[in-house]
């Protein structure tokens, strides 16, 4: 008679949340991976943001009328590919990434600080991590897959219990049976495999699941023998199949749906048997009931969505509103919001219905990893969902015990914050130093670590356990609104030498070489954004191909342009901007015999310029007299880069002959120091960092891997202090250094990613921060003066990104809660770099000086170091505490009274009864 039994879910209703209940103002991302992009525990929701490596999380339930704030956490140095909450500990989250590592995090409660580093790191694997899955009955057991490999980890020991036999292709999905004994995997080779990992590493059974190699997903039903798979057949029709491990040669039943390109995410509640099919990129949810006794997939209902689905997750049953007969809740991840979608079964009475809510698995694990691996099959004790029963016990995993953080000191009250971060366009893959993709290898003596900008007491207390981390680790890069872009750029010269940045800018203008003949340079006004006309732009006519160009830091209207004819042309731009073609420069400098590599103005002295050339010399020019005063010798090959020290007394170079050199131009034309540089000869850059105490060089190793090297200028012969390997790419990393924050931004021409590191003069030297990632390659990326930053928005760097047809400003900001205060820990007094300290004659005569400092504090803002300390908020007792003290009848009456109050008093007069009419004589 079972086949004629009527389902209790046949009248289930779908109730998408109203817009005011959405978690909006987010920007979700979808990584090219096999994992899901959103997961939920009983208290938190975690999802992929649009910034690579950055995770967003938010409380599952709001607090009264307060808007739920999304917090962003920098987890990895690359895309997050999958994530999973522990089934027992609501705040324990595992994340996997394209950086080939798996990390375990304890997410903070409201008003607690973000973790400065992961509690546990596994890996790196040989390929990016694809799938993560906690064990359903045991605490501390985690499945990870990367490529064709799969591992079952004992997290407490940070060692794999077993490594599954290699699959034939990429592992796309995995699922534990509900009793935790078996493991199923779906692979790109179309095979469905069943493993008993405690018996052997090889699959005990396998069969062809679907005929197409498109993404296939697995989920186990409430019975230990049956599971559901989704995939596509040979003609690309999507299908759903129900399998029995006892007869795996053929599916018990199958459904063919449609030919939509999106993969089907199956979300199955094993207690109710309800199966939700969510197609990526689609606007529909389909609900089925899985009948296991008489194998069948029975349709229940469908739900149309307002926006395309990027990911979906089920809320655990312990978090459902059971008194409202909510049998299922799906969280839809869209581009800009998380939408809760509830499934309700209508019932006449407001009470707990045991037929809809059988006992479910509790939150206390049945065993630990070693007991399970030894053969224990204990099951998780079930608990009742009836609110009248005692509240569920909370479990805290010993893997990551909660750390009691001391209250922040008053001098830096913003060090421990939950950042309500502003989404960015591309951003940023963040990590602390422990999460770095490549740990810097210290080549010098061990030194104590200091951050250089001051850390709070809470950070210092954690540094002894987790190591130092940068206060800028959660920095966010944002492409500003299109209204600030300069668009319709045409004919850009993208073949400038590798020694050149490709374009240059100051606070007023940007100069961009064009591809047209005659060495033309377009000069655009940054204060006049918008679409450029289709007609030809007024340009500077140099007559020869441009090799490099630079603005005078003390004269925003003077531009120096180097050409292939070994000459330097100085141009004077009219104050209103370039309105006509200029063919005659203000001055022409001659002295080199070969074409020029690069130009660098002196940082403190006016009218002093350094230039490097193919004649293997460096000339120091007096622009006031128009002559070369010094010529530096000693290079054996092409000069890749040169840089003035911050005090303007020394000049550093990196050369193709594999050597670093430091000169004191006023003392000698020969190098003062010389030492080994990068091994690769493809290109390099040098910049002074850490107040002139260190030299940072970006270059290549012998295997063409891009790397950073840190030197002591006075000890070049000893080699680099530290070396940090980054990635393999053809373009040289161009460093842009901010001396106020000790942050360096690194990217190459044609890259889509900007690395961000805080540099320290002592070990560990490199502290990794969020990197910025864009959707398309940039042709150049430069840092603007500090005065262009919006200090009120905690913007510590403003850059310009040159694309094929546009110029876009990029703002780097630090999430802070108390933005009404001036963040004086982020904005120290900055050097007035636009005012010269010395004249050319004074500097050439041996004089030195220091720049004037400027406070960036806006008028009317109080420094955050002087902000009053807030008393800790007193938490009101939860409603569950009051409900425990009342009888069932009292609870029922309260619910009925609340419903009546919402409906209102039916005896109240209608609004139209109070309207005033007109007198009878007015009708005439």
């Amino acid at each position: 008679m079972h086949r004629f039994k009527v389902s209790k879910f046949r009248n289930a209703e779908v109730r998408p949340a109203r817009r005011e209940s959405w978690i909006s103002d987010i920007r979700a991302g979808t990584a090219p991976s096999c994992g899901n992009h959103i997961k939920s525990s009983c208290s938190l929701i975690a999802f992929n943001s649009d910034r690579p490596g950055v995770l967003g999380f938010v409380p599952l339930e709001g607090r009264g009328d307060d808007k739920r704030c999304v917090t962003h956490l920098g987890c990895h140095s690359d895309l997050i590919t999958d994530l999973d909450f522990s089934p027992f500990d609501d705040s324990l989250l595992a994340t996997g990434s394209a950086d080939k590592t798996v990390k375990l995090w304890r997410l903070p409660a409201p008003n607690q600080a973000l973790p400065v580093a992961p509690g546990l790191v596994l890996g790196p694997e040989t390929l990016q991590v694809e799938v993560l899955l906690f064990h359903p009955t045991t605490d501390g057991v985690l499945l990870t897959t990367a490529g064709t490999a799969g591992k079952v980890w004992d997290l407490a020991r940070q060692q794999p219990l077993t490594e599954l036999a290699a699959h034939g292709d990429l592992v796309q999905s995995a699922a534990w049976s509900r009793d935790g004994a078996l493991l199923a995997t779906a692979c790109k080779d179309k095979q469905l495999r069943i493993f008993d990992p405690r018996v052997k590493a090889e699959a005990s059974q396998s069969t062809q699941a679907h005929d197409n190699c498109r993404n296939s997903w697995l989920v186990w039903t409430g019975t230990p023998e049956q599971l559901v798979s989704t995939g596509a057949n040979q003609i690309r029709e999507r299908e759903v199949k129900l399998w029995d491990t006892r007869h795996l040669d053929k599916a018990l039943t199958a459904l063919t749906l449609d030919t939509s390109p999106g993969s089907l995410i199956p979300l199955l509640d094993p207690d109710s048997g309800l199966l939700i099919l969510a197609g990526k990129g689609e606007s529909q949810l389909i609900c089925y009931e899985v009948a296991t006794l008489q194998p069948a997939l029975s349709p229940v209902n469908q739900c149309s969505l307002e926006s395309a689905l990027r990911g979906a997750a089920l809320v655990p049953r312990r978090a459902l509103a059971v008194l409202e007969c909510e049998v299922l809740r799906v969280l839809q991840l869209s581009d800009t919001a998380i939408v809760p979608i509830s499934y309700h079964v209508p019932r006449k009475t407001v009470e707990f219905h045991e037929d809809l809510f059988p006992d479910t698995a509790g939150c206390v694990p049945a065993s630990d990893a070693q007991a399970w691996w030894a053969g224990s099959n204990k099951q998780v004790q079930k608990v009742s969902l009836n609110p009248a029963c005692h509240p569920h016990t909370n479990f805290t995993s010993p893997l990551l015990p909660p750390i009691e953080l001391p209250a922040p000191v008053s001098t830096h009250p913003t060090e421990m914050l939950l950042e309500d971060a502003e989404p960015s366009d591309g951003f940023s893959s963040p990590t602390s130093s422990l999460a770095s993709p490549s740990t810097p290898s210290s080549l010098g003596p061990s030194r104590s670590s200091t951050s250089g900008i001051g850390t709070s007491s809470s950070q210092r207390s954690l540094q002894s356990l987790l190591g130092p981390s940068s206060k800028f680790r959660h920095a966010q890069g944002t492409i500003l609104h299109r209204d600030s872009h300069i668009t319709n750029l045409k004919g850009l010269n993208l073949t400038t030498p590798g020694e050149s940045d490709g374009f240059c800018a100051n606070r007023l203008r940007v100069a961009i070489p064009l591809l047209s003949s005659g060495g033309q340079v377009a000069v655009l006004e940054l204060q006049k954004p918008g679409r450029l006309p289709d007609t030809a732009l007024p340009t500077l006519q140099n007559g020869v191909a441009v090799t490099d160009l630079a603005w005078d830091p003390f004269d925003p209207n003077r531009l120096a342009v180097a050409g292939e004819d070994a000459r330097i042309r100085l141009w004077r731009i009219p104050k209103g901007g370039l309105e006509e073609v200029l063919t005659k420069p203000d001055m022409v400098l001659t002295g080199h015999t070969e074409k020029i590599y690069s130009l660098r103005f002196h940082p403190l002295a006016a009218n002093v310029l350094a230039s490097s050339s193919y004649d293997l010399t460096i000339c120091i020019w007096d622009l006031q007299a128009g002559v070369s005063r010094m010529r530096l010798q000693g290079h054996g090959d092409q000069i890749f880069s040169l840089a003035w020290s911050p005090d303007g007394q020394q000049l550093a170079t990196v050369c193709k002959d594999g050597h670093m050199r430091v000169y004191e131009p006023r003392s000698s034309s020969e190098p003062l120091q010389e030492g080994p540089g990068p091994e690769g000869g493809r290109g390099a850059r040098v910049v002074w960092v850490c107040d002139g105490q260190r030299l940072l060089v970006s270059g290549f190793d012998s295997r063409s891997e891009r790397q950073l090297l840190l030197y002591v200028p006075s000890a070049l012969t000893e080699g680099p202090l530290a070396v940090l390997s980054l990635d393999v790419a053809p373009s040289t990393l161009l460093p842009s250094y901010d001396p106020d924050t000790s942050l360096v931004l690194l990217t190459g021409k044609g890259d889509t990613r900007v690395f961000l590191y805080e540099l320290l003069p002592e070990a560990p030297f490199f502290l990794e921060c969020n990197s910025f990632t864009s959707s398309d390659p940039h042709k150049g990326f430069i840092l603007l003066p500090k005065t262009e930053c919006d200090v009120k928005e905690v913007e510590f760097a403003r850059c310009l990104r040159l694309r094929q047809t546009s110029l876009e400003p990029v703002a780097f900001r630090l999430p802070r809660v108390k933005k009404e205060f001036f963040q004086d820990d982020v904005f120290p007094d900055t050097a007035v770099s636009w005012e010269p300290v010395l004249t050319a004659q004074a500097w050439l005569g041996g004089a030195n000086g220091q720049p004037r400092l400027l406070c960036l504090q806006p008028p009317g803002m109080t420094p955050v170091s002087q902000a009053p300390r807030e008393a800790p908020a007193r938490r009101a007792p939860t409603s569950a505490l009051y409900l425990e003290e009342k009888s069932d009848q009292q609870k029922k009456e309260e619910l009925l009274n609340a419903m009546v109050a919402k409906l209102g008093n039916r005896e109240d007069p209608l609004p139209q009864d109070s309207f005033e009419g007109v007198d009878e004589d007015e009708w005439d």
Side-chain angles (χ1 to χ4, degrees), residues 516-782:
S516 51
S517 60
Q520 298 185 43
V521 175
V523 178
L524 308 176
E525 299 291 314
L526 292 177
Q527 305 302 321
K528 298 178 182 178
R531 179 181 173 86
L532 296 176
D534 293 328
T535 56
L537 296 173
T539 58
L540 306 176
Q541 300 278 357
N542 291 276
V544 295
V546 174
T547 55
D548 197 17
L549 65 172
W551 290 102
D552 188 333
F554 311 119
D555 186 350
N557 300 316
R558 184 160 68 171
L559 178 69
V561 179
E564 287 189 347
D565 61 353
R567 297 183 178 184
I568 301 172
R569 292 166 176 82
L570 299 177
W571 297 89
R572 174 71 56 181
I573 310 300
K575 289 188 177 181
L578 194 62
E579 297 180 353
E580 60 181 1
V581 175
L582 297 183
T583 58
K584 187 176 180 180
D586 197 42
M587 181 183 292
V588 178
L589 305 177
T590 57
H592 286 295
T593 59
E594 298 286 346
K595 71 177 182 179
I596 297 170
Y597 296 127
S598 51
L599 303 174
R600 295 292 184 272
F601 277 94
H602 195 279
L604 299 179
N607 295 312
V608 177
L609 176 70
S611 64
S612 62
S613 167
Y614 269 87
D615 60 15
L616 308 184
T617 65
I618 295 175
C619 287
I620 309 296
W621 301 88
D622 179 354
L623 301 184
Q624 194 166 7
V627 296
S628 173
R629 298 293 188 185
M630 305 168 187
R631 186 180 292 269
L632 307 183
Q633 312 281 348
H635 296 91
D637 206 331
Q638 176 183 353
I639 304 170
F640 282 143
S641 177
L642 71 157
W644 289 100
S645 62
D647 59 9
Q649 300 181 35
Q650 296 182 332
L651 190 72
T653 66
V654 57
C655 184
K656 193 175 181 179
D657 62 8
H659 286 80
M660 291 278 302
R661 295 175 176 87
V662 172
Y663 292 83
E664 282 190 356
R666 295 175 296 184
S667 302
S668 172
S669 62
E670 297 298 324
L672 177 69
Q673 289 281 334
E674 187 171 346
E679 297 177 1
R682 296 175 55 184
R685 288 298 181 96
V686 61
V687 62
W688 295 77
V689 298
C690 302
D691 295 325
Q693 301 177 48
R694 300 290 181 264
L695 278 171
L696 177 70
V697 177
S698 65
F700 297 86
D701 63 10
S702 58
R703 299 170 299 174
S704 296
E705 186 175 21
R706 297 196 292 192
Q707 59 180 198
L708 301 179
L709 302 95
L710 201 64
Y711 291 84
V712 177
S714 59
L716 292 184
T717 55
E718 298 178 7
L721 270 180
V723 178
L724 178 67
S725 297
L726 294 179
D727 57 7
V728 177
S731 58
T732 305
L733 286 170
L734 311 179
S736 299
Y737 181 69
D738 178 17
D740 295 342
T741 58
S742 296
L743 291 173
V744 63
L745 293 86
L746 300 134
T747 190
K749 297 176 185 177
D751 286 3
T752 59
R753 182 177 181 184
V754 180
F755 295 95
L756 191 64
Y757 284 91
E758 182 181 354
L759 303 179
L760 307 179
E762 310 293 341
F765 305 109
F766 300 96
L767 298 182
E768 188 178 4
C769 306
N770 284 348
S771 61
F772 167 84
T773 302
S774 55
S775 58
D776 59 328
H778 39 250
K779 313 305 177 186
F781 200 92
I782 58 176

Side-chain angles (χ1 to χ4, degrees), residues 449-468:
S449 61
T450 57
S451 68
I453 304 188
T455 54
S456 69
S457 60
S458 62
Q459 288 178 321
R460 289 193 294 269
S461 65
L462 289 173
Q463 283 182 5
S464 60
L465 297 173
L466 305 174

